């Protein structure tokens, strides 16, 4: 039997069009691109995670001369939140932004490994974690759930 999967998402023309809390979250992600340690790719990524109590934990990509030892911004943020606030492993939204080698803001979308990690926390908390990605031209894409980014994700 053939089945079809449909993914719904929203697109905003600019960060200014977001709800105030999401706008602040995206601004925090943009700010976090500045703390990227990316001497190899010269591509900075910033991530800002909003916890259930409204607080925000940020992360940026951290590279290493032994390339696979580095870590993406999204996992840096969510692992920081989960380890520093284990009692509040409940996440409302994640914003992600990129900064290219010229220092210009650009699109950044979570890689497959980050999607798998985010999916586990989403399933653990039992309600959706929204993901906002900065796109080219300052637009923003929002998916309502990590499931939308990684259908059929792995679980045990
Ligand atoms: N990167 C992230 O931080 N998040 C992603 O989801 C994709 C890629 C980082 C990893 C590396 O430091 C740089 O971007 C270039 O791949």
């Amino acid at each position: 039997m053939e089945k079809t999967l449909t993914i719904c998402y929203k697109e905003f023309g600019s960060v200014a069009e977001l709800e105030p809390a999401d706008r602040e979250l995206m601004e925090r992600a943009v700010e976090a691109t500045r703390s990227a340690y990316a001497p190899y790719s010269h591509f900075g990524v910033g991530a800002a995670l909003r916890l259930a109590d409204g607080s925000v934990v940020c992360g940026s990509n951290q590279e290493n001369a032994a390339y696979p030892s580095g870590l993406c911004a999204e996992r840096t943020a969510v692992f920081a939140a989960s380890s520093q606030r284990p009692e509040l492993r409940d996440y409302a939204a994640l914003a992600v932004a990129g900064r290219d080698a010229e220092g210009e803001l650009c699109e950044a979308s979570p890689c497959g490994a980050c999607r798998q990690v985010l999916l586990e926390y989403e399933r653990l908390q039992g309600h959706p974690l929204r993901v906002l990605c900065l796109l080219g031209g300052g637009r923003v894409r929002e998916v309502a759930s990590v499931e939308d980014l990684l259908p059929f994700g792995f679980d045990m």
Side-chain angles (χ1 to χ4, degrees), residues 5-7 12 30 36 38 43 52 55 63 69 74 79 84 93 104 107-108 112 116 125 132-133 139:
L5 186 71
T6 305
I7 298 170
F12 298 87
V30 164
F43 190 88
S55 61
E63 299 184 349
S69 303
E74 297 89 328
F79 287 158
Q84 290 167 21
E104 300 295 330
E107 176 167 346
Q116 178 66 36
Q125 70 188 24
L132 299 136
C133 294
R139 290 168 301 120

Side-chain angles (χ1 to χ4, degrees), residues 3-9 147-148 151:
K3 298 187 180 183
T4 303
L5 186 71
T6 305
I7 298 170
C8 288
Y9 63 95
E147 291 280 353
D148 294 328

Side-chain angles (χ1 to χ4, degrees), residues 37-38 41 43 45 60-63 71-74 109-111 114:
Y37 174 64
S41 72
F43 190 88
V45 183
S60 57
N61 53 327
Q62 302 296 314
E63 299 184 349
L71 195 65
C72 292
E74 297 89 328
S109 185
C111 75
C114 288

